[in-house]
Amino acid sequence: MSSSTGVPLGVRQAQKLKTRQALLDAALRLLEEQSLSSLGLREVTRVVGVAPAAFYRHFRDMAELGVALVEESLGSLHVMIRAVLAEQEDAEEVIDRSVAAVAEHVRRHPAHVRFIARERHGGVRAVREAIAAELQRFGDEVAAALAAQEVSRGWSAEDVRMLAGLYVDHLVMTASAFLEAPPERAQAIADTAGRQLRLISLGRRHWRAA
């Protein structure tokens, strides 16, 4: 099947997705040096090489583009941490693998991590809310994994969710630390993060709700 222009619909859809991704990639590069609230769509389209009007075929405004970047930025980290927590292994190994997963995510996606760190408390409300919602969903996923572990037997759902929040906040903090540190400091950050998670784990084993 072809469109009215004679271009097959599959090809047009692929081109549209390619342009959309190019806009996201260009915005992410530009956001290395500025906040989303100060970034204009004309700057983004200029980098991609499309007319400003073409932007609106993919996003309503810059806020919607920012929300798409939030989903892109946190999606792969969700998958990595969920896979670590799903494996019923020794707690020490889970801690080490969680920290390693965060370090690897920062190594592969530094611009995404920097974007989340900057915009979590930035000036675009829709993006702040999207980050909060994604971290909430992340916390729910972690809580489900923690609830399935033997050590959580007898815990209330509220306490498990509270623990999950501690883990998520710690992982976000650790990601920011890896991002800002020079390479020679990476191992020291990993060691500190591991010790902090072990402290949380120790407290977990002795927790009794008041």
Side-chain angles (χ1 to χ4, degrees):
M1 183 178 294
S2 299
S3 67
S4 59
T5 62
V7 179
L9 289 178
V11 173
R12 286 197 66 191
Q13 183 64 17
Q15 290 173 339
K16 184 176 181 180
L17 290 174
K18 184 177 180 180
T19 301
R20 183 181 190 274
Q21 188 60 52
L23 291 167
L24 288 169
D25 293 343
L28 192 62
R29 289 196 301 275
L30 291 167
L31 287 168
E32 291 264 19
E33 304 298 334
Q34 61 185 303
S35 66
L36 183 63
S37 60
S38 67
L39 180 63
L41 70 85
R42 288 179 179 276
E43 293 178 75
V44 177
T45 55
R46 188 180 303 119
V47 170
V48 177
V50 298
F55 179 92
Y56 296 105
R57 299 187 193 125
H58 306 276
F59 306 102
R60 288 193 302 270
D61 50 30
M62 287 298 295
E64 187 173 84
L65 179 145
V67 169
L69 278 177
V70 171
E71 296 168 354
E72 183 177 271
S73 298
L74 290 175
S76 58
L77 181 61
H78 282 204
V79 173
M80 294 172 73
I81 298 301
R82 188 164 58 235
V84 170
L85 291 173
E87 298 182 9
Q88 296 291 329
E89 298 178 346
D90 176 79
E92 293 286 313
E93 186 169 348
V94 170
I95 286 171
D96 290 339
R97 291 189 61 208
S98 296
V99 174
V102 171
E104 179 66 9
H105 183 75
V106 174
R107 187 185 70 79
R108 290 184 178 182
H109 310 287
H112 286 100
V113 176
R114 185 172 291 108
F115 168 73
I116 294 297
R118 177 180 288 148
E119 299 300 331
R120 188 179 184 185
H121 305 291
V124 181
R125 180 177 178 179
V127 173
R128 291 198 312 271
E129 291 177 346
I131 293 172
E134 283 291 313
L135 292 178
Q136 175 73 28
R137 185 168 67 85
F138 193 11
D140 292 341
E141 294 172 356
V142 171
L146 294 176
Q149 296 174 354
E150 180 64 26
V151 70
S152 296
R153 178 176 292 183
W155 279 50
S156 69
E158 288 183 0
D159 284 350
V160 172
R161 188 61 184 76
M162 177 182 67
L163 177 64
L166 285 175
Y167 277 120
V168 171
D169 286 346
H170 184 274
L171 292 174
V172 171
M173 178 185 71
T174 300
S176 295
F178 276 125
L179 180 67
E180 299 303 330
E184 62 271 19
R185 287 281 302 154
Q187 188 57 53
I189 290 170
D191 291 343
T192 297
R195 288 198 302 273
Q196 291 169 336
L197 283 174
R198 287 178 178 86
L199 183 59
I200 294 173
S201 181
L202 180 63
R204 178 187 182 190
R205 295 181 184 279
H206 297 279
W207 171 256
R208 293 292 183 271

